Amino acid sequence: MTEMRGRAAQGQRTREAILKTAVDVASTEGLEGLTIGRLAAELEMSKSGLFAHFGSKEELQLATIGAAREIFVDEVVRPAFENDAGLPRLWALLDSWLQYAEAGIFKGGCFFAAASAEFDGRPGPVRDLVASTMREWLGALERGVAEAQTAGHVEATADAAQIAFELNSITMGANWAFQLYRDRDVFDRARTAMAARLAAVATPAARRILPDSGAAKGR
Amino acid sequence: MTEMRGRAAQGQRTREAILKTAVDVASTEGLEGLTIGRLAAELEMSKSGLFAHFGSKEELQLATIGAAREIFVDEVVRPAFENDAGLPRLWALLDSWLQYAEAGIFKGGCFFAAASAEFDGRPGPVRDLVASTMREWLGALERGVAEAQTAGHVEATADAAQIAFELNSITMGANWAFQLYRDRDVFDRARTAMAARLAAVATPAARRILPDSGAAKGR
């Protein structure tokens, strides 16, 4: 029993190590670049050893997206939830996103922006998983705005879905510019844009939750 | 002489027909999917016939980016320049971008957003051409804001580069959402966001140039 459990645990560790490398390969070379052969070479494993963990390229792609989602939740979402619901939590979510993008948690920039661009025109389970994972993120932003409305931090008349669309657009624009031009100033631009967008709908007392720059800069 | 000119003209027409197909293939399958073999099959031409026009895959990729740029200029930039310099021209530029994205001028959505995501991690001439072409677009947006300042349509204190970054981010966010979810509402969201962003820095008299929705919606 103990030996079997030991083997299962080792199998799990191997699987995790494979997925860690797979996430890095996919973030720079795309999910299509994630062939069993390419990954076996990178990990110095046999192809058949890899096949024991993932029966097909598609299964490997789906598991890699799941692993990237876990990393994103650990790096961006979970830390934000240590803050009070409302504008503090929403701002923390945006701030951790900016830190995640600037720190280069994924070698090729935001994993999900890249995966979206790669798979948006290719129907199938990979595209569906990318789309549903991104819906979770958009949902988290929209819920963040709605909670800020409930907490009295954001005007009740504000359109939470519209604001979530705009905040997500700013993350897309910042990730795009940083990946293409390696110019770190885009994170200041993005922070300024996010703070100004929220300052425009924040109740007067709640504006102090946002960084100072927000209301003044870029206007 | 006439015959030679006729042949040169026919060669040019063939080249243009090849590039038209290449743009479509690249916009859905990526610039890496643009192999001489793949394109020869699509066009029912011989590989050697294609090689006569483009000596290598990279040359084909570069020519395809150039052809996509021409289409973008014809569809988005040129029509906007029929409007007066200042907010009318800037708004026309954004409005034609939205129409271009919604009409699906490129099968796979915005050609340059896709090409950026595909090549931002791959140094070389293809990446450089994508980056410089996108700089032209960002430059056009920034110049549009600056001209609107000169015309007295936008407050002189506004940060043109910041606004250009934000307007471009909205195009990125809209293209992403439409490609992944096929939800046409994102174009209304994008239009609302762009109009509101510009209304916030427009001089009082110039606000009438923007669509009504801008100042009110999403706030």
Side-chain angles (χ1 to χ4, degrees):
Chain A
M1 266 303 266
T2 312
E3 198 188 325
M4 275 180 73
R5 244 185 253 149
R7 273 191 205 165
Q10 205 195 332
Q12 184 58 26
R13 278 196 301 276
T14 306
R15 190 185 154 91
E16 280 167 15
I18 294 168
L19 287 176
K20 200 169 174 301
T21 303
V23 164
D24 273 344
V25 170
S27 93
T28 47
E29 294 169 35
L31 283 161
E32 271 307 309
L34 203 62
T35 59
I36 300 266
R38 166 81 180 77
L39 199 56
E42 184 84 21
L43 287 157
E44 297 178 4
M45 274 178 79
S46 67
K47 281 196 190 189
S48 58
L50 257 172
F51 262 116
H53 290 277
F54 306 96
S56 68
K57 181 177 176 181
E58 187 173 278
E59 210 182 298
L60 174 61
Q61 290 171 324
L62 294 171
T64 302
I65 295 166
R69 180 189 173 282
E70 270 186 49
I71 294 169
F72 186 86
V73 167
D74 283 348
E75 292 284 337
V76 179
V77 181
R78 203 156 289 147
F81 273 76
E82 286 164 21
N83 295 273
D84 291 338
L87 211 43
R89 184 177 294 168
L90 176 60
W91 185 257
L93 192 62
L94 296 168
D95 198 54
S96 12
W97 187 89
L98 290 165
Q99 287 178 46
Y100 141 89
E102 188 164 7
I105 300 297
F106 296 115
K107 271 191 194 166
C110 180
F111 185 95
F112 295 98
S116 298
E118 190 181 3
F119 270 86
D120 56 18
R122 302 180 199 187
V126 174
R127 180 190 198 287
D128 292 348
L129 186 57
V130 171
S132 65
T133 307
M134 283 298 303
R135 274 227 190 272
E136 287 185 81
W137 166 244
L138 271 182
L141 289 175
E142 190 174 335
R143 213 159 36 246
V145 177
E147 282 175 3
Q149 290 178 302
T150 305
H153 297 154
V154 162
E155 303 288 359
T157 52
D159 180 341
Q162 172 75 24
I163 295 168
F165 165 78
E166 294 184 30
L167 295 172
N168 180 62
S169 294
I170 297 164
T171 69
M172 291 276 163
N175 181 66
W176 165 80
F178 184 57
Q179 290 308 311
L180 202 55
Y181 302 115
R182 291 284 146 191
D183 172 7
R184 290 190 182 271
D185 290 353
V186 297
F187 297 111
D188 285 337
R189 291 214 182 285
R191 199 178 304 266
T192 298
M194 289 166 171
R197 185 65 188 89
L198 291 175
V201 290
T203 52
R207 264 174 220 148
R208 60 168 177 73
I209 298 167
L210 298 166
D212 263 2
S213 58
K217 263 202 219 165
R219 290 269 137 183
Chain B
M1 266 301 268
T2 312
E3 197 187 327
M4 275 180 72
R5 244 185 255 148
R7 273 191 205 164
Q10 205 196 330
Q12 184 58 29
R13 278 197 300 276
T14 307
R15 191 184 153 91
E16 280 168 16
I18 293 169
L19 287 176
K20 199 168 174 301
T21 303
V23 164
D24 274 343
V25 169
S27 92
T28 46
E29 295 169 36
L31 282 159
E32 273 305 311
L34 204 62
T35 60
I36 301 267
R38 167 81 179 77
L39 199 56
E42 185 83 21
L43 288 157
E44 296 178 5
M45 274 178 76
S46 68
K47 279 196 190 190
S48 58
L50 256 172
F51 262 116
H53 290 276
F54 306 96
S56 68
K57 181 177 175 181
E58 186 173 278
E59 212 182 296
L60 173 62
Q61 289 171 324
L62 294 171
T64 302
I65 295 166
R69 180 187 172 282
E70 270 186 50
I71 294 169
F72 186 86
V73 167
D74 283 347
E75 293 285 335
V76 179
V77 182
R78 202 156 288 149
F81 273 76
E82 286 164 20
N83 295 273
D84 291 338
L87 212 44
R89 184 177 295 168
L90 176 59
W91 185 256
L93 193 62
L94 297 168
D95 198 53
S96 24
W97 187 91
L98 290 165
Q99 287 178 45
Y100 142 88
E102 188 164 6
I105 300 296
F106 296 116
K107 269 191 196 167
C110 181
F111 185 94
F112 295 98
S116 298
E118 188 181 4
F119 270 87
D120 57 18
R122 305 181 198 186
V126 174
R127 180 190 198 287
D128 292 349
L129 185 58
V130 171
S132 65
T133 307
M134 282 299 301
R135 273 226 190 276
E136 288 184 80
W137 166 244
L138 271 183
L141 290 175
E142 190 174 335
R143 215 159 36 247
V145 177
E147 283 175 3
Q149 290 179 301
T150 305
H153 298 154
V154 161
E155 303 289 356
T157 51
D159 181 340
Q162 173 74 25
I163 295 168
F165 165 78
E166 293 183 31
L167 295 173
N168 181 62
S169 294
I170 296 164
T171 69
M172 291 276 162
N175 182 65
W176 166 81
F178 184 56
Q179 290 308 311
L180 202 54
Y181 301 115
R182 292 285 147 188
D183 171 8
R184 288 188 184 273
D185 290 352
V186 298
F187 297 111
D188 284 337
R189 292 216 180 284
R191 200 178 301 268
T192 298
M194 289 167 170
R197 186 63 188 90
L198 290 174
V201 291
T203 52
R207 263 172 223 149
R208 58 166 180 74
I209 298 166
L210 298 167
D212 264 0
S213 56
K217 263 202 220 165
R219 289 270 141 181

